Amino acid sequence: MLSEMKNQKLRNYLLMLLAVSAISFAAGGCSSKKETKGPSLSGDEASKVYVEPGKYDEFYFFISGGFSGQVSAYGIPSGRLLRVVPVFSVNPENGYGYTEETKPMLMTSYGFIPWDDSHHAELSQTNGVPDGKWLFINGNNTPRIARIDLATFRTVEIIEIPNSAGNHSSPFTTPNSDYVVAGTRFSLPIENKDVPISSYKENFKGSLSFIKVDKESGKMGIDFQIITPPFDYDLSHAGKGPSDGWFFFSCYNSEQAHTLLEVNASQKDKDFVLAVNYRKIAELVASGGKGTMGKTRFAHNVFDEKTQTAATEWVEQVKTVNAADLKGMMYYMPCPKSPHGADVDPTGEYITAGGKLAAVIPVYSFSKMIKAIEGNQTDGEIDGIPVLKYDAVLAGEVQNPGLGPLHTEFDDKGFAYTSAFVSSEVVKWKVATREVVDRIPTYYSIGHLTVPGGDSKQPWGKYLLAMNKITKDRYLPTGPELSQSAQLIDISGDKMRLLSDFPTVGEPHYAQAIPADLIMKNQVKIYKLSENMNPYAIKTPGEARAERKDGAVHIYLGAIRSHFTPDNVEGVNVGETVYFHMTNMEQDWDIPHGFAVMGNQNSEMLVMPGETCTIKWVPERAGIYPMYCTDFCSALHQEMQGYVRVSEKGTNVPLVATGGK
């Protein structure tokens, strides 16, 4: 036994050496400079990505910002950056997280958290097809899920996830977006408490949160949490078609290690994919058959489009149910070690997983899984969850899928595309036969990839976007850190073709894409001034004013090309809290106005047509403070400015606001 353990550790060590060597080779770390920076090209690639001036791209691609905490929207095939949508991180470009209206969006049970690590973008679906209404994105570090309204490209809701950490297998959605999920990467003591880390196996648990989404408003709420064995739940996807009603989660660290996981969580040949009959569980919980309400405290932040103001609701309890109490509703399927992706093909019959340290890709059959359950073909159980026999649920294995397979997407022709991190390539294989039919190198160390609609019932199989972790010689150098890379690949023919690459914002993980016309038709172009219900809004320049109320100075500003009303304010005292409430009175598309005042310690604010925003300012010394519009709005943009006079306390200068009308 001891000898076998030593041999297993030696095999793991050699496998890791191989992975490190391959990464170094792929990134050029152990070789001289390449003479070529890519595959041979046919010569017409430029024409396939060129979008002439005045024309629109065919697709929107939404790429997670990773450590930036944001989401980026790109037009494809051009690769043009269209918008960075602030989600979990404050954004001085437009005042998100700085204005009084948006500060509550970043409130958590840990306080105001102005950053997170966003990994997985997920489009809302109707009947298993992306519908262009909402985009969900997860925050890993302080577990949260956000919802972006694609009519405005704004974050309108963020819900914190209790009993969770490293919210990674998230926020993947069901075919009608009635649920999104949040699976924990780091297991924790439930109702987190002070225990020895060495008591991991006794005190730590995983959790899978099922968040209900209102069909009309999109508003989210945690319906229930499943408390699971303390594995690391990595990625997930919902079933569809025959597998509709089930969710599939990849998980690793079945060893339940708590230190040096690169060795201690790679001891076993297989980890698992967890199959969860969430619909049956939801019905059971709703009927009162299972689940208990537990004490907790988490923030639910919602942006009210009518008042244009966010508010935080504090939730004090959550319903939990133990996996051991869900007999017949949860099953582990063995999977080659350290799986990442858990991906379901468009038919809903096949589920794939990518074992990062595996030499094959397992493809499970949903129908075989059901037969295995009915025939009780199991190899024991883990904390009450049966483990199905590997051969009983397996449709087959993809042989030679590249080193380090991670994540798989699908097209509309029956093919799958898997990213291979270590060998830096995309591998194309036929779902029905598991036969590899093509492969193309990426530059370098690809993580996720995406096909428009590639995790849905209706892929648009024209393009594939590879998101790479290392760029090395791809772009002009920018010091020790280089940009991450996205590479656009044509998958419309038998052979994959590299068309272009472009740098991305932050570190991209997962992305999703949709035809542009599904989003364009719903775009909000202005906020109707007549419907502005912000309590500090003004509807005409005649309402502009300055007043002292509740111990603070409130300045009600109107902005219109090309002046502020008022544009001179006197009577502010040193140390007073000043709120600038600015209403953009324009009713024309794409005419925002900005606002900044000298010495402000947070940010500017960018105010859309018909919108009201508020920025807080506390002047620390007497003097004259210029204020101005920060967004070029007209030929006389430079003239859109004014002054605030700040006097020492006790000087009794009257508070007056003049000019601009």
Side-chain angles (χ1 to χ4, degrees), residues 52-107:
E52 62 183 276
K55 300 294 184 181
Y56 292 148
D57 278 286
E58 187 178 356
F59 291 93
Y60 284 101
F61 271 65
F62 298 97
I63 302 179
S64 69
F67 46 64
S68 77
Q70 318 289 41
V71 171
S72 300
Y74 291 84
I76 294 296
S78 73
R80 296 181 293 202
L81 175 62
L82 303 174
R83 173 70 57 203
V84 175
V85 182
V87 184
F88 300 112
S89 298
V90 293
N91 186 21
E93 178 184 342
N94 63 4
Y96 177 84
Y98 291 106
T99 65
E100 297 304 299
E101 286 81 4
T102 58
K103 280 181 180 178
M105 293 300 291
L106 301 178
M107 186 56 63

Side-chain angles (χ1 to χ4, degrees), residues 464-527:
L464 179 149
L465 196 70
M467 287 157 283
N468 308 324
K469 302 302 183 184
I470 299 172
T471 54
K472 290 291 186 183
D473 54 8
R474 301 305 294 176
Y475 310 122
L476 290 172
T478 53
E481 183 190 14
L482 303 177
S483 174
Q484 282 77 26
S485 167
Q487 294 191 296
L488 184 64
I489 296 170
D490 181 353
I491 60 170
S492 60
D494 292 337
K495 295 291 184 181
M496 295 180 285
R497 293 177 55 197
L498 178 63
L499 297 180
S500 68
D501 59 13
F502 53 89
T504 57
V505 174
E507 182 199 1
H509 290 264
Y510 190 42
Q512 289 213 315
I514 195 171
D517 57 2
L518 292 180
I519 294 178
M520 287 171 57
K521 63 184 180 182
N522 298 322
Q523 291 300 284
V524 170
K525 296 184 176 180
I526 64 168
Y527 297 100

Side-chain angles (χ1 to χ4, degrees), residues 61 121-122 172 237 342-346 352 406-412 414-419 426-429 431 448-456 459 463-465 467 491 510-513:
F61 271 65
E122 179 81 350
F172 299 100
H237 270 99
D343 306 296
V344 182
D345 87 310
T352 71
L406 292 182
H407 170 60
T408 299
E409 291 265 299
F410 304 90
D411 68 11
D412 53 345
F415 294 100
Y417 303 81
T418 299
S419 56
V426 174
V427 178
K428 177 181 178 181
W429 49 277
V431 176
H448 281 278
L449 47 73
T450 192
V451 172
D455 73 339
S456 76
Y463 299 114
L464 179 149
L465 196 70
M467 287 157 283
I491 60 170
Y510 190 42
Q512 289 213 315

Side-chain angles (χ1 to χ4, degrees), residues 123-124 132-135 147-148 150 213-218:
L123 288 159
S124 59
K133 289 174 63 177
W134 305 309
L135 182 76
R147 178 173 58 89
I148 298 168
L150 292 179
V213 181
D214 184 86
K215 183 178 180 180
E216 299 301 325
S217 68

